[in-house]
Coordinates of all heavy atoms in Angstrom, one line a residue:
Chain B
L9 N 19.5 -4.6 -5.9 CA 20.8 -4.9 -5.2 C 21.2 -6.3 -5.5 O 22.4 -6.6 -5.7 CB 20.7 -4.7 -3.7 CG 20.9 -3.3 -3.2 CD1 20.9 -3.2 -1.7 CD2 22.3 -2.8 -3.7
L127 N 15.9 -3.7 5.6 CA 16.5 -2.9 4.5 C 15.7 -3.1 3.2 O 15.4 -4.2 2.8 CB 18.0 -3.3 4.3 CG 18.8 -2.3 3.6 CD1 18.9 -1.0 4.4 CD2 20.2 -2.9 3.4
S160 N 19.9 4.2 13.2 CA 20.7 3.2 13.8 C 20.3 1.8 13.2 O 21.2 1.0 12.9 CB 20.4 3.1 15.3 OG 19.0 2.9 15.6
L161 N 19.0 1.6 13.0 CA 18.6 0.4 12.4 C 19.3 0.2 11.0 O 19.8 -0.8 10.7 CB 17.1 0.4 12.2 CG 16.2 0.2 13.4 CD1 14.7 0.4 13.0 CD2 16.4 -1.1 14.0
G162 N 19.2 1.3 10.2 CA 19.8 1.2 8.9 C 21.3 0.9 8.9 O 21.8 0.1 8.1
R163 N 22.0 1.5 9.8 CA 23.4 1.3 9.8 C 23.8 -0.1 10.2 O 24.7 -0.7 9.7 CB 24.1 2.3 10.8 CG 24.1 3.7 10.2 CD 24.8 4.7 11.1 NE 24.6 6.0 10.6 CZ 25.0 7.1 11.3 NH1 25.6 7.0 12.4 NH2 24.7 8.3 10.7
V164 N 23.0 -0.7 11.1 CA 23.2 -2.1 11.5 C 22.9 -3.0 10.3 O 23.7 -3.9 10.0 CB 22.3 -2.5 12.7 CG1 22.2 -4.0 12.8 CG2 22.9 -1.9 14.0
L165 N 21.9 -2.6 9.6 CA 21.5 -3.4 8.4 C 22.6 -3.3 7.3 O 22.9 -4.3 6.6 CB 20.2 -3.0 7.9 CG 19.0 -3.3 8.8 CD1 17.7 -2.6 8.4 CD2 18.7 -4.8 8.8
L166 N 23.1 -2.1 7.1 CA 24.2 -1.9 6.1 C 25.4 -2.7 6.5 O 26.1 -3.3 5.7 CB 24.5 -0.4 6.0 CG 23.4 0.4 5.3 CD1 23.8 1.9 5.4 CD2 23.2 0.0 3.9
A167 N 25.7 -2.7 7.8 CA 26.9 -3.4 8.3 C 26.7 -4.9 8.1 O 27.7 -5.6 8.0 CB 27.1 -3.1 9.8
G168 N 25.5 -5.3 7.9 CA 25.3 -6.7 7.7 C 25.4 -7.2 6.2 O 25.3 -8.3 5.9
L169 N 25.5 -6.2 5.4 CA 25.7 -6.5 3.9 C 27.1 -7.0 3.7 O 28.0 -6.8 4.4 CB 25.4 -5.3 3.1 CG 24.0 -4.7 3.1 CD1 24.0 -3.4 2.2 CD2 23.0 -5.7 2.6
S170 N 27.2 -7.8 2.6 CA 28.5 -8.2 2.1 C 29.2 -7.0 1.6 O 28.6 -5.9 1.3 CB 28.4 -9.3 1.1 OG 27.9 -8.7 -0.1
D171 N 30.5 -7.1 1.4 CA 31.3 -6.0 0.9 C 30.8 -5.5 -0.5 O 30.7 -4.4 -0.8 CB 32.8 -6.3 0.8 CG 33.4 -6.4 2.2 OD1 32.9 -5.6 3.1 OD2 34.3 -7.1 2.5
G172 N 30.5 -6.5 -1.3 CA 30.0 -6.2 -2.6 C 28.7 -5.5 -2.6 O 28.5 -4.5 -3.3
E173 N 27.8 -5.9 -1.7 CA 26.5 -5.2 -1.6 C 26.7 -3.8 -1.1 O 26.1 -2.9 -1.5 CB 25.6 -6.0 -0.7 CG 25.1 -7.3 -1.3 CD 24.4 -8.2 -0.3 OE1 24.8 -8.2 0.9 OE2 23.5 -8.9 -0.6
L174 N 27.6 -3.7 -0.2 CA 27.9 -2.4 0.4 C 28.5 -1.5 -0.6 O 28.1 -0.3 -0.7 CB 28.8 -2.6 1.6 CG 28.8 -1.4 2.6 CD1 27.4 -1.1 3.1 CD2 29.7 -1.8 3.8
E200 N 32.1 4.6 9.7 CA 31.1 4.4 10.8 C 30.5 2.9 10.7 O 30.4 2.2 11.7 CB 30.0 5.4 10.6 CG 28.8 5.2 11.6 CD 29.2 5.4 13.0 OE1 30.2 6.2 13.3 OE2 28.5 4.8 13.9
I201 N 30.2 2.5 9.4 CA 29.7 1.2 9.2 C 30.7 0.1 9.6 O 30.3 -0.9 10.2 CB 29.2 1.0 7.8 CG1 27.9 1.9 7.6 CG2 28.8 -0.4 7.5 CD1 27.4 2.0 6.2
E202 N 31.9 0.3 9.2 CA 33.0 -0.6 9.6 C 33.0 -0.7 11.1 O 33.2 -1.8 11.7 CB 34.3 -0.2 9.1 CG 34.4 -0.2 7.5 CD 34.3 -1.6 6.9 OE1 34.4 -2.6 7.7 OE2 34.0 -1.6 5.7
Q203 N 32.9 0.4 11.8 CA 32.9 0.4 13.2 C 31.7 -0.4 13.8 O 31.8 -1.2 14.8 CB 32.8 1.8 13.8 CG 33.0 2.0 15.3 CD 34.3 1.4 15.7 OE1 35.4 1.7 15.1 NE2 34.3 0.7 16.8
V204 N 30.6 -0.2 13.1 CA 29.4 -1.0 13.6 C 29.6 -2.5 13.4 O 29.2 -3.3 14.3 CB 28.1 -0.6 12.7 CG1 27.0 -1.5 13.0 CG2 27.8 0.9 13.0
R205 N 30.3 -2.8 12.3 CA 30.6 -4.3 12.1 C 31.5 -4.8 13.3 O 31.2 -5.9 13.8 CB 31.4 -4.4 10.8 CG 30.5 -4.4 9.6 CD 31.3 -4.7 8.4 NE 30.5 -4.9 7.2 CZ 30.9 -5.0 5.9 NH1 32.2 -4.9 5.7 NH2 30.1 -5.2 4.9
R206 N 32.4 -4.0 13.7 CA 33.3 -4.4 14.8 C 32.5 -4.5 16.1 O 32.6 -5.5 16.9 CB 34.5 -3.5 14.9 CG 35.5 -3.7 13.9 CD 36.8 -2.9 14.1 NE 36.6 -1.4 14.0 CZ 36.7 -0.8 12.9 NH1 37.0 -1.4 11.8 NH2 36.5 0.5 12.8
G208 N 29.2 -4.5 16.6 CA 27.9 -5.3 16.7 C 26.7 -4.5 17.1 O 25.7 -5.0 17.5
Y209 N 26.9 -3.2 17.1 CA 25.7 -2.3 17.4 C 26.0 -1.0 16.8 O 27.1 -0.7 16.4 CB 25.5 -2.2 18.9 CG 26.6 -1.5 19.7 CD1 26.7 -0.1 19.7 CD2 27.6 -2.2 20.3 CE1 27.7 0.6 20.3 CE2 28.6 -1.6 21.0 CZ 28.7 -0.2 21.0 OH 29.7 0.5 21.6
S210 N 24.9 -0.2 16.8 CA 25.1 1.2 16.2 C 24.3 2.2 17.1 O 23.2 1.9 17.5 CB 24.6 1.2 14.8 OG 24.5 2.6 14.3
V225 N 20.8 -3.2 17.2 CA 21.6 -4.4 17.0 C 21.0 -5.2 16.0 O 19.8 -5.1 15.7 CB 21.7 -5.2 18.3 CG1 22.3 -4.4 19.4 CG2 20.3 -5.7 18.8
P226 N 21.7 -6.1 15.3 CA 21.2 -6.9 14.3 C 20.4 -8.1 14.8 O 20.6 -8.6 15.9 CB 22.4 -7.5 13.6 CG 23.5 -7.4 14.6 CD 23.2 -6.2 15.5
I227 N 19.4 -8.6 14.0 CA 18.8 -9.8 14.3 C 19.3 -10.8 13.2 O 19.0 -10.5 12.0 CB 17.2 -9.7 14.2 CG1 16.7 -8.7 15.2 CG2 16.5 -11.0 14.3 CD1 15.2 -8.3 15.1
R228 N 19.9 -11.8 13.6 CA 20.6 -12.7 12.6 C 19.9 -14.0 12.5 O 19.5 -14.6 13.5 CB 22.0 -12.9 13.1 CG 22.9 -11.7 13.1 CD 24.3 -12.1 13.6 NE 25.2 -11.0 13.9 CZ 25.9 -10.3 13.1 NH1 25.8 -10.6 11.8 NH2 26.6 -9.3 13.5
A229 N 19.9 -14.5 11.2 CA 19.4 -15.8 11.0 C 20.4 -16.8 11.5 O 21.5 -16.5 11.9 CB 19.1 -16.0 9.5
D231 N 22.2 -18.8 9.9 CA 23.4 -18.8 9.1 C 24.2 -17.5 9.3 O 25.2 -17.3 8.6 CB 23.1 -19.0 7.6 CG 22.2 -17.9 7.1 OD1 21.9 -16.9 7.8 OD2 21.8 -17.9 5.9
G232 N 23.8 -16.6 10.2 CA 24.6 -15.4 10.5 C 24.2 -14.2 9.7 O 24.6 -13.1 10.0
R233 N 23.4 -14.4 8.6 CA 23.0 -13.3 7.9 C 22.1 -12.3 8.7 O 21.2 -12.8 9.5 CB 22.1 -13.7 6.6 CG 23.0 -14.2 5.5 CD 22.1 -14.3 4.2 NE 20.8 -14.8 4.5 CZ 19.7 -14.0 4.3 NH1 19.7 -12.8 3.8 NH2 18.5 -14.6 4.6
T234 N 22.3 -11.1 8.5 CA 21.5 -10.1 9.2 C 20.2 -10.0 8.4 O 20.2 -9.6 7.3 CB 22.1 -8.7 9.3 OG1 23.3 -8.8 10.0 CG2 21.2 -7.7 9.9
I235 N 19.1 -10.3 9.1 CA 17.8 -10.3 8.3 C 16.9 -9.1 8.8 O 16.0 -8.7 8.1 CB 17.0 -11.6 8.5 CG1 16.8 -11.9 9.9 CG2 17.7 -12.7 7.8 CD1 15.9 -13.1 10.1
A236 N 17.2 -8.5 9.9 CA 16.5 -7.4 10.4 C 17.3 -6.7 11.5 O 18.4 -7.2 11.8 CB 15.1 -7.8 10.9
A237 N 16.8 -5.6 12.0 CA 17.5 -5.0 13.1 C 16.5 -4.5 14.1 O 15.3 -4.3 13.8 CB 18.3 -3.8 12.6
S283 N 16.0 -10.5 2.1 CA 15.9 -10.3 0.6 C 16.1 -11.6 -0.1 O 15.4 -11.9 -1.0 CB 16.9 -9.3 0.1 OG 18.1 -9.9 -0.2

Side-chain angles (χ1 to χ4, degrees):
Chain B
L9 272 186
L127 198 63
S160 59
L161 289 175
R163 290 185 187 170
V164 162
L165 293 166
L166 290 174
L169 293 179
S170 71
D171 286 332
E173 290 168 326
L174 201 51
E200 175 66 26
I201 288 171
E202 295 296 345
Q203 186 61 43
V204 173
R205 281 183 170 171
R206 286 188 291 272
Y209 64 82
S210 170
V225 298
I227 297 173
R228 295 181 194 275
D231 60 5
R233 277 194 325 117
T234 297
I235 54 175
S283 91

